[in-house]
Protein backbone atom coordinates (compact mmCIF):
# COMPACT_ATOMS: atom_id res chain seq x y z
CA UNK A 1 0.00 0.00 0.00
CA UNK A 2 1.35 3.41 -0.94
CA UNK A 3 0.62 6.74 0.69
CA UNK A 4 -0.50 9.58 -1.55
CA UNK A 5 1.58 12.71 -1.08
CA UNK A 6 -0.39 15.00 -3.36
CA UNK A 7 -3.19 15.42 -0.82
CA UNK A 8 -3.30 15.71 2.96
CA UNK A 9 -6.38 15.30 5.20
CA UNK A 10 -6.76 15.64 8.96
CA UNK A 11 -5.05 12.80 10.78
CA UNK A 12 -2.40 12.26 8.11
CA UNK A 13 1.25 12.18 9.21
CA UNK A 14 3.75 13.78 6.86
CA UNK A 15 7.24 15.25 6.78
CA UNK A 16 7.57 18.98 6.33
CA UNK A 17 8.88 18.45 2.79
CA UNK A 18 5.69 16.56 1.92
CA UNK A 19 3.54 19.24 3.55
CA UNK A 20 5.30 21.96 1.57
CA UNK A 21 4.45 20.24 -1.71
CA UNK A 22 0.75 20.48 -0.89
CA UNK A 23 0.40 23.61 1.26
CA UNK A 24 3.62 25.52 0.56
CA UNK A 25 5.47 27.46 3.23
CA UNK A 26 9.11 27.45 4.32
CA UNK A 27 11.18 24.53 5.48
CA UNK A 28 11.70 25.87 8.98
CA UNK A 29 9.99 27.95 11.62
CA UNK A 30 6.70 27.59 13.42
CA UNK A 31 4.56 29.97 11.32
CA UNK A 32 4.96 29.41 7.60
CA UNK A 33 2.94 31.45 5.10
CA UNK A 34 2.41 30.62 1.45
CA UNK A 35 1.04 33.23 -0.94
CA UNK A 36 0.82 30.73 -3.79
CA UNK A 37 -1.11 28.13 -1.76
CA UNK A 38 -3.07 30.79 0.19
CA UNK A 39 -2.15 29.02 3.40
CA UNK A 40 -0.63 29.82 6.79
CA UNK A 41 0.85 26.61 8.19
CA UNK A 42 1.30 26.45 11.96
CA UNK A 43 3.76 23.89 13.32
CA UNK A 44 3.52 22.98 16.97
CA UNK A 45 6.41 21.15 18.64
CA UNK A 46 5.95 20.33 22.35
CA UNK A 47 9.71 19.86 22.80
CA UNK A 48 10.22 23.49 21.79
CA UNK A 49 7.21 25.12 23.43
CA UNK A 50 7.54 23.59 26.87
CA UNK A 51 11.11 24.77 27.41
CA UNK A 52 10.03 28.27 26.41
CA UNK A 53 7.24 28.39 28.97
CA UNK A 54 4.09 27.52 27.02
CA UNK A 55 1.95 24.70 25.70
CA UNK A 56 0.08 24.51 22.41
CA UNK A 57 -2.94 22.28 22.08
CA UNK A 58 -6.61 21.73 22.75
CA UNK A 59 -8.32 23.06 25.85
CA UNK A 60 -10.14 20.24 27.60
CA UNK A 61 -12.92 22.68 28.48
CA UNK A 62 -15.15 23.60 25.54
CA UNK A 63 -17.47 26.59 25.47
CA UNK A 64 -20.84 27.07 23.79
CA UNK A 65 -19.12 27.48 20.41
CA UNK A 66 -17.17 24.24 20.68
CA UNK A 67 -13.48 23.33 21.00
CA UNK A 68 -10.54 25.74 21.09
CA UNK A 69 -6.95 25.08 20.03
CA UNK A 70 -4.43 27.45 21.61
CA UNK A 71 -1.36 28.29 19.55
CA UNK A 72 1.43 30.49 20.88
CA UNK A 73 2.90 33.08 18.53
CA UNK A 74 6.44 33.44 17.22
CA UNK A 75 9.32 34.62 19.40
CA UNK A 76 11.34 32.37 21.74
CA UNK A 77 12.78 35.13 23.92
CA UNK A 78 11.60 38.51 25.10
CA UNK A 79 8.11 39.89 24.57
CA UNK A 80 6.37 38.71 21.43
CA UNK A 81 5.06 41.33 19.04
CA UNK A 82 3.03 42.03 15.90
CA UNK A 83 5.49 44.72 14.79
CA UNK A 84 8.41 44.56 12.36
CA UNK A 85 10.16 41.47 11.06
CA UNK A 86 9.84 39.71 14.42
CA UNK A 87 6.06 40.02 14.25
CA UNK A 88 5.55 39.00 10.62
CA UNK A 89 4.40 35.49 11.47
CA UNK A 90 2.02 36.72 14.14
CA UNK A 91 0.57 39.25 11.70
CA UNK A 92 0.07 36.45 9.17
CA UNK A 93 -2.13 34.58 11.64
CA UNK A 94 -4.04 37.70 12.66
CA UNK A 95 -4.76 38.70 9.06
CA UNK A 96 -5.32 35.25 7.58
CA UNK A 97 -9.00 35.80 6.81
CA UNK A 98 -8.72 39.26 5.29
CA UNK A 99 -5.83 37.96 3.14
CA UNK A 100 -7.94 34.95 2.14
CA UNK A 101 -5.51 32.40 3.57
CA UNK A 102 -6.38 29.24 5.46
CA UNK A 103 -4.86 28.43 8.85
CA UNK A 104 -3.62 24.84 9.03
CA UNK A 105 -2.23 23.27 12.19
CA UNK A 106 0.36 20.49 12.38
CA UNK A 107 1.84 18.90 15.51
CA UNK A 108 5.20 17.16 15.65
CA UNK A 109 4.66 13.48 16.48
CA UNK A 110 7.91 11.63 15.73
CA UNK A 111 10.73 10.97 13.27
CA UNK A 112 11.23 9.06 10.07
CA UNK A 113 12.84 5.64 10.65
CA UNK A 114 16.61 5.86 10.99
CA UNK A 115 16.47 9.60 10.40
CA UNK A 116 16.36 12.91 12.21
CA UNK A 117 13.57 14.12 9.93
CA UNK A 118 10.53 15.09 11.98
CA UNK A 119 7.01 13.96 11.16
CA UNK A 120 3.89 16.05 11.76
CA UNK A 121 0.22 15.15 12.16
CA UNK A 122 -2.24 17.35 10.31
CA UNK A 123 -4.87 18.51 12.81
CA UNK A 124 -7.07 20.41 10.35
CA UNK A 125 -8.15 23.84 9.11
CA UNK A 126 -8.90 26.64 11.57
CA UNK A 127 -10.08 30.22 11.86
CA UNK A 128 -9.43 32.73 14.62
CA UNK A 129 -12.09 32.92 17.31
CA UNK A 130 -14.47 35.72 16.30
CA UNK A 131 -14.86 37.35 19.71
CA UNK A 132 -11.41 36.86 21.21
CA UNK A 133 -8.86 36.02 18.51
CA UNK A 134 -5.90 36.06 20.88
CA UNK A 135 -4.89 36.87 24.43
CA UNK A 136 -1.69 38.18 25.96
CA UNK A 137 -0.27 35.78 28.50
CA UNK A 138 2.63 36.05 30.95
CA UNK A 139 5.00 33.06 30.86
CA UNK A 140 8.43 32.12 32.16
CA UNK A 141 10.80 31.20 29.36
CA UNK A 142 13.72 28.80 29.20
CA UNK A 143 15.91 31.37 30.93
CA UNK A 144 13.19 31.77 33.61
CA UNK A 145 12.72 35.41 32.62
CA UNK A 146 9.15 36.63 32.44
CA UNK A 147 7.83 37.69 29.06
CA UNK A 148 4.55 38.40 27.28
CA UNK A 149 3.43 35.97 24.59
CA UNK A 150 0.55 36.02 22.14
CA UNK A 151 -1.78 33.03 22.48
CA UNK A 152 -4.05 32.65 19.46
CA UNK A 153 -7.46 31.05 20.00
CA UNK A 154 -8.27 28.86 17.01
CA UNK A 155 -11.63 27.34 16.09
CA UNK A 156 -11.73 24.26 13.83
CA UNK A 157 -13.24 24.88 10.40
CA UNK A 158 -14.30 21.49 9.04
CA UNK A 159 -12.98 18.05 9.98
CA UNK A 160 -10.25 17.94 12.61
CA UNK A 161 -8.29 15.59 14.85
CA UNK A 162 -8.63 15.96 18.61
CA UNK A 163 -6.91 13.44 20.84
CA UNK A 164 -5.69 13.33 24.42
CA UNK A 165 -2.07 13.59 23.28
CA UNK A 166 -2.79 17.10 21.99
CA UNK A 167 -4.52 18.36 25.14
CA UNK A 168 -2.87 21.14 27.11
CA UNK A 169 -1.83 19.68 30.49
CA UNK A 170 -4.13 20.49 33.38
CA UNK A 171 -2.78 22.69 36.15
CA UNK A 172 -1.34 20.71 39.05
CA UNK A 173 -2.08 23.50 41.52
CA UNK A 174 -4.05 26.71 41.66
CA UNK A 175 -1.89 29.76 41.01
CA UNK A 176 -2.49 33.42 40.33
CA UNK A 177 -0.35 36.39 39.44
CA UNK A 178 -0.67 40.07 38.66
CA UNK A 179 0.19 40.67 35.01
CA UNK A 180 0.02 43.26 32.25
CA UNK A 181 -3.18 42.91 30.29
CA UNK A 182 -4.61 44.19 27.04
CA UNK A 183 -8.21 44.20 25.85
CA UNK A 184 -8.47 42.51 22.45
CA UNK A 185 -11.23 41.90 19.93
CA UNK A 186 -11.17 41.45 16.19
CA UNK A 187 -12.63 44.91 15.78
CA UNK A 188 -10.62 46.80 18.35
CA UNK A 189 -6.86 46.39 18.80
CA UNK A 190 -5.59 48.99 21.24
CA UNK A 191 -2.28 50.76 20.96
CA UNK A 192 -2.08 51.34 24.70
CA UNK A 193 -1.88 48.28 26.96
CA UNK A 194 -4.35 48.08 29.82
CA UNK A 195 -1.41 48.01 32.18
CA UNK A 196 -0.66 51.58 33.14
CA UNK A 197 1.53 53.44 35.60
CA UNK A 198 4.48 51.81 37.34
CA UNK A 199 2.67 48.52 37.84
CA UNK A 200 4.84 45.84 39.34
CA UNK A 201 4.54 42.13 38.67
CA UNK A 202 5.42 38.96 40.59
CA UNK A 203 8.85 37.40 40.35
CA UNK A 204 7.28 33.98 40.05
CA UNK A 205 3.91 32.27 40.18
CA UNK A 206 2.77 31.38 43.67
CA UNK A 207 -0.27 30.02 45.41
CA UNK A 208 -0.08 33.01 47.69
CA UNK A 209 0.32 36.64 46.72
CA UNK A 210 3.79 37.48 45.43
CA UNK A 211 6.02 40.53 45.75
CA UNK A 212 5.66 43.24 43.13
CA UNK A 213 8.16 44.65 40.67
CA UNK A 214 8.01 46.60 37.43
CA UNK A 215 6.49 44.75 34.47
CA UNK A 216 6.97 45.50 30.78
CA UNK A 217 4.07 46.65 28.61
CA UNK A 218 2.90 44.56 25.69
CA UNK A 219 4.03 45.51 22.19
CA UNK A 220 1.06 45.58 19.84
CA UNK A 221 0.03 46.78 16.42
CA UNK A 222 -0.73 50.46 16.09
CA UNK A 223 -4.06 51.82 14.95
CA UNK A 224 -7.31 49.94 14.63
CA UNK A 225 -7.74 46.54 13.03
CA UNK A 226 -10.41 46.85 10.33
CA UNK A 227 -12.05 43.52 9.61
CA UNK A 228 -12.72 42.96 5.92
CA UNK A 229 -16.12 41.94 4.59
CA UNK A 230 -14.81 38.43 3.94
CA UNK A 231 -13.38 38.27 7.46
CA UNK A 232 -16.67 39.34 9.03
CA UNK A 233 -18.65 36.93 6.86
CA UNK A 234 -16.44 34.01 7.81
CA UNK A 235 -16.38 34.87 11.49
CA UNK A 236 -20.12 35.50 11.67
CA UNK A 237 -20.70 31.81 11.17
CA UNK A 238 -19.43 31.26 14.70
CA UNK A 239 -21.04 34.08 16.63
CA UNK A 240 -24.20 36.11 16.61
CA UNK A 241 -24.17 39.79 15.72
CA UNK A 242 -25.45 40.68 19.19
CA UNK A 243 -22.58 38.89 20.92
CA UNK A 244 -20.06 40.47 18.57
CA UNK A 245 -21.38 43.97 19.28
CA UNK A 246 -21.45 43.31 23.04
CA UNK A 247 -17.79 42.31 23.03
CA UNK A 248 -16.86 45.42 21.07
CA UNK A 249 -18.74 47.55 23.59
CA UNK A 250 -17.05 45.76 26.47
CA UNK A 251 -13.60 46.43 25.01
CA UNK A 252 -14.39 50.09 24.47
CA UNK A 253 -15.90 50.47 27.93
CA UNK A 254 -12.96 48.82 29.66
CA UNK A 255 -10.42 50.89 27.74
CA UNK A 256 -12.25 54.14 28.45
CA UNK A 257 -12.49 53.42 32.16
CA UNK A 258 -8.87 52.27 32.27
CA UNK A 259 -7.86 55.58 30.68
CA UNK A 260 -9.86 57.44 33.32
CA UNK A 261 -8.09 55.51 36.10
CA UNK A 262 -4.76 56.32 34.49
CA UNK A 263 -5.67 60.01 34.32
CA UNK A 264 -6.25 60.14 38.08
CA UNK A 265 -2.99 58.35 38.85
CA UNK A 266 -4.15 54.79 39.37
CA UNK A 267 -2.04 51.77 38.40
CA UNK A 268 -3.97 49.08 36.56
CA UNK A 269 -3.43 45.50 35.48
CA UNK A 270 -5.15 42.13 35.53
CA UNK A 271 -4.86 38.75 37.19
CA UNK A 272 -3.92 35.56 35.36
CA UNK A 273 -5.35 32.50 37.11
CA UNK A 274 -4.66 28.79 36.68
CA UNK A 275 -7.07 26.48 38.53
CA UNK A 276 -5.98 23.02 39.60
CA UNK A 277 -7.39 20.39 37.25
CA UNK A 278 -8.23 22.82 34.41
CA UNK A 279 -6.32 23.36 31.16
CA UNK A 280 -7.69 26.84 30.47
CA UNK A 281 -6.22 30.05 31.91
CA UNK A 282 -8.68 32.46 33.52
CA UNK A 283 -8.22 36.20 33.30
CA UNK A 284 -9.85 39.15 34.97
CA UNK A 285 -10.99 42.24 33.09
CA UNK A 286 -9.42 45.15 34.96
CA UNK A 287 -7.70 45.59 38.31
CA UNK A 288 -6.98 48.84 40.14
CA UNK A 289 -3.68 47.94 41.81
CA UNK A 290 -3.57 51.21 43.75
CA UNK A 291 -6.83 50.73 45.63
CA UNK A 292 -7.18 46.93 45.30
CA UNK A 293 -10.38 47.00 43.25
CA UNK A 294 -11.37 44.22 40.85
CA UNK A 295 -13.61 45.08 37.90
CA UNK A 296 -15.67 42.77 35.71
CA UNK A 297 -16.91 44.58 32.60
CA UNK A 298 -19.84 43.78 30.32
CA UNK A 299 -20.81 45.32 27.01
CA UNK A 300 -24.51 45.25 27.89
CA UNK A 301 -26.47 46.17 31.01
CA UNK A 302 -29.10 43.51 30.41
CA UNK A 303 -30.16 41.39 33.36
CA UNK A 304 -28.50 38.22 32.07
CA UNK A 305 -25.21 40.06 31.58
CA UNK A 306 -25.26 41.45 35.12
CA UNK A 307 -25.94 37.99 36.52
CA UNK A 308 -23.08 36.56 34.50
CA UNK A 309 -20.74 39.30 35.68
CA UNK A 310 -21.76 38.67 39.27
CA UNK A 311 -20.84 35.01 39.05
CA UNK A 312 -17.53 35.76 37.35
CA UNK A 313 -16.39 38.39 39.81
CA UNK A 314 -17.31 36.21 42.80
CA UNK A 315 -15.23 33.44 41.24
CA UNK A 316 -12.20 35.54 40.26
CA UNK A 317 -12.05 37.59 43.47
CA UNK A 318 -11.11 34.48 45.45
CA UNK A 319 -7.65 34.67 43.89
CA UNK A 320 -6.98 38.41 43.72
CA UNK A 321 -4.36 39.03 46.41
CA UNK A 322 -1.00 40.77 46.68
CA UNK A 323 1.47 41.20 49.51
CA UNK A 324 0.33 44.79 49.91
CA UNK A 325 -3.31 43.68 49.81
CA UNK A 326 -3.72 40.19 51.33
CA UNK A 327 -7.42 40.85 51.97
CA UNK A 328 -10.19 40.22 49.40
CA UNK A 329 -10.52 43.04 46.84
CA UNK A 330 -13.40 45.41 46.48
CA UNK A 331 -15.58 43.96 43.72
CA UNK A 332 -17.17 46.14 41.06
CA UNK A 333 -19.19 45.36 37.92
CA UNK A 334 -18.58 47.89 35.13
CA UNK A 335 -21.55 48.52 32.80
CA UNK A 336 -22.21 50.76 29.79
CA UNK A 337 -25.55 52.03 31.15
CA UNK A 338 -27.69 51.97 34.28
CA UNK A 339 -29.17 48.48 34.80
CA UNK A 340 -32.56 47.57 36.30
CA UNK A 341 -32.87 48.87 39.87
CA UNK A 342 -33.22 45.42 41.42
CA UNK A 343 -29.81 44.46 39.98
CA UNK A 344 -28.26 46.93 42.42
CA UNK A 345 -29.99 45.09 45.28
CA UNK A 346 -28.87 41.71 43.95
CA UNK A 347 -25.23 42.74 43.66
CA UNK A 348 -25.23 44.54 47.00
CA UNK A 349 -26.45 41.38 48.72
CA UNK A 350 -23.19 39.72 47.56
CA UNK A 351 -20.97 42.66 48.46
CA UNK A 352 -20.55 43.76 44.84
CA UNK A 353 -20.89 47.34 43.61
CA UNK A 354 -22.04 48.56 40.20
CA UNK A 355 -20.33 51.35 38.26
CA UNK A 356 -22.06 52.47 35.07
CA UNK A 357 -21.61 55.08 32.37
CA UNK A 358 -24.21 57.85 32.25
CA UNK A 359 -25.72 59.32 29.10
CA UNK A 360 -23.20 62.16 29.15
CA UNK A 361 -20.30 59.69 29.26
CA UNK A 362 -19.31 60.12 32.91
CA UNK A 363 -19.01 57.15 35.28
CA UNK A 364 -21.29 56.79 38.29
CA UNK A 365 -20.61 54.69 41.37
CA UNK A 366 -18.99 54.83 44.80
CA UNK A 367 -15.72 53.36 43.52
CA UNK A 368 -15.26 55.95 40.77
CA UNK A 369 -12.27 58.08 41.83
CA UNK A 370 -12.58 61.84 41.85
CA UNK A 371 -10.61 63.74 39.23
Amino acid sequence: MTTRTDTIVSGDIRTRAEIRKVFGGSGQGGICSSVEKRSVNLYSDPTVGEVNGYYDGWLAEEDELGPIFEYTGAGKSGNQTFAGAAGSGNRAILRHAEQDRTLRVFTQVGFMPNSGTKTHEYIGEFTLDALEPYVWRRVHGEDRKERNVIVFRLRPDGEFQKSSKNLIPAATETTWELVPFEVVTTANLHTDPATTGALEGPSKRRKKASSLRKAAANAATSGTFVASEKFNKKMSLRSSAAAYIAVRHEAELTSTYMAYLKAVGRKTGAFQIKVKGLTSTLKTDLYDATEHVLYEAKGSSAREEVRMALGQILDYSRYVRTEDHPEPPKRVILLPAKPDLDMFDLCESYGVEIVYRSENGSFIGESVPLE
Side-chain angles (χ1 to χ4, degrees):
M1 180 178 178
T2 59
T3 301
R4 291 186 60 184
T5 59
D6 61 344
T7 184
I8 301 176
V9 298
S10 60
D12 285 350
I13 296 176
R14 297 284 191 271
T15 65
R16 185 176 287 224
E18 292 171 331
I19 294 169
R20 291 179 66 195
K21 290 180 180 179
V22 180
F23 297 130
S26 66
Q28 59 184 0
I31 304 173
C32 304
S33 299
S34 173
V35 176
E36 179 185 359
K37 301 293 185 179
R38 312 206 69 81
S39 182
V40 181
N41 306 325
L42 310 181
Y43 292 90
S44 175
D45 187 343
T47 63
V48 174
E50 292 174 18
V51 298
N52 288 286
Y54 59 82
Y55 292 92
D56 293 335
W58 295 102
L59 295 176
E61 305 84 33
E62 297 187 8
D63 62 16
E64 64 275 10
L65 296 179
I68 294 175
F69 190 99
E70 290 193 341
Y71 183 83
T72 305
K76 295 181 181 179
S77 63
N79 295 330
Q80 293 185 353
T81 181
F82 287 107
S88 61
N90 298 326
R91 292 196 304 274
I93 296 177
L94 186 65
R95 299 173 179 172
H96 81 94
E98 63 174 308
Q99 294 178 342
D100 194 25
R101 298 180 187 178
T102 299
L103 291 179
R104 294 182 168 94
V105 176
F106 301 84
T107 60
Q108 197 267 325
V109 292
F111 297 87
M112 292 293 290
N114 304 315
S115 170
T117 301
K118 293 181 178 181
T119 56
H120 310 266
E121 181 180 17
Y122 180 37
I123 304 302
E125 296 184 6
F126 290 80
T127 59
L128 285 176
D129 179 54
L131 302 183
E132 193 173 38
Y134 68 89
V135 295
W136 287 102
R137 193 165 292 164
R138 197 75 165 167
V139 303
H140 302 267
E142 185 177 14
D143 57 5
R144 302 309 300 164
K145 292 183 179 179
E146 293 182 357
R147 65 194 189 103
N148 303 323
V149 299
I150 305 161
V151 180
F152 292 97
R153 290 162 47 85
L154 311 180
R155 299 280 188 179
D157 191 4
E159 294 187 4
F160 60 92
Q161 290 290 317
K162 182 180 180 181
S163 63
S164 57
K165 64 184 178 182
N166 291 326
L167 286 179
I168 294 175
T172 58
E173 62 177 350
T174 298
T175 61
W176 58 90
E177 59 179 329
L178 181 60
V179 298
F181 180 70
E182 185 171 353
V183 179
V184 180
T185 74
T186 54
N188 194 339
L189 299 183
H190 301 281
T191 57
D192 293 325
T195 299
T196 64
L199 174 65
E200 298 176 333
S203 58
K204 62 180 179 178
R205 294 184 178 93
R206 298 182 181 179
K207 295 179 69 175
K208 61 181 181 179
S210 54
S211 60
L212 302 179
R213 63 178 179 79
K214 187 176 181 180
N218 293 323
T221 49
S222 61
T224 300
F225 176 71
V226 180
S228 67
E229 181 179 354
K230 182 175 293 185
F231 183 90
N232 282 327
K233 182 178 179 181
K234 194 169 187 178
M235 294 306 186
S236 67
L237 297 176
R238 300 194 177 276
S239 62
S240 68
Y244 184 74
I245 292 172
V247 172
R248 289 185 61 182
H249 287 173
E250 179 180 320
E252 188 275 332
L253 177 69
T254 306
S255 296
T256 300
Y257 193 72
M258 179 271 294
Y260 178 80
L261 292 178
K262 178 181 178 180
V264 297
R266 298 290 177 86
K267 302 171 187 176
T268 65
F271 270 79
Q272 181 172 288
I273 305 165
K274 293 286 290 185
V275 178
K276 182 178 180 180
L278 299 183
T279 62
S280 55
T281 300
L282 305 178
K283 60 179 182 181
T284 65
D285 281 341
L286 186 63
Y287 174 65
D288 180 342
T290 304
E291 295 296 325
H292 194 43
V293 183
L294 178 65
Y295 292 89
E296 176 64 30
K298 289 299 174 188
S300 166
S301 297
R303 177 179 295 268
E304 57 270 22
E305 292 296 307
V306 177
R307 292 191 305 219
M308 181 183 295
L310 179 60
Q312 289 173 305
I313 202 165
L314 291 176
D315 182 9
Y316 298 156
S317 64
R318 296 179 294 160
Y319 309 107
V320 176
R321 306 286 190 277
T322 66
E323 286 189 349
D324 290 338
H325 297 285
E327 74 282 2
K330 187 170 186 178
R331 299 172 295 196
V332 179
I333 294 174
L334 183 62
L335 299 174
K338 188 175 182 179
D340 294 338
L341 290 177
D342 67 324
M343 291 294 96
F344 288 92
D345 295 334
L346 172 64
C347 291
E348 184 180 1
S349 67
Y350 286 94
V352 177
E353 184 190 334
I354 291 177
V355 165
Y356 65 93
R357 185 157 52 183
S358 67
E359 292 183 359
N360 65 11
S362 63
F363 291 96
I364 299 175
E366 291 183 5
S367 291
V368 179
L370 298 177
E371 294 187 71

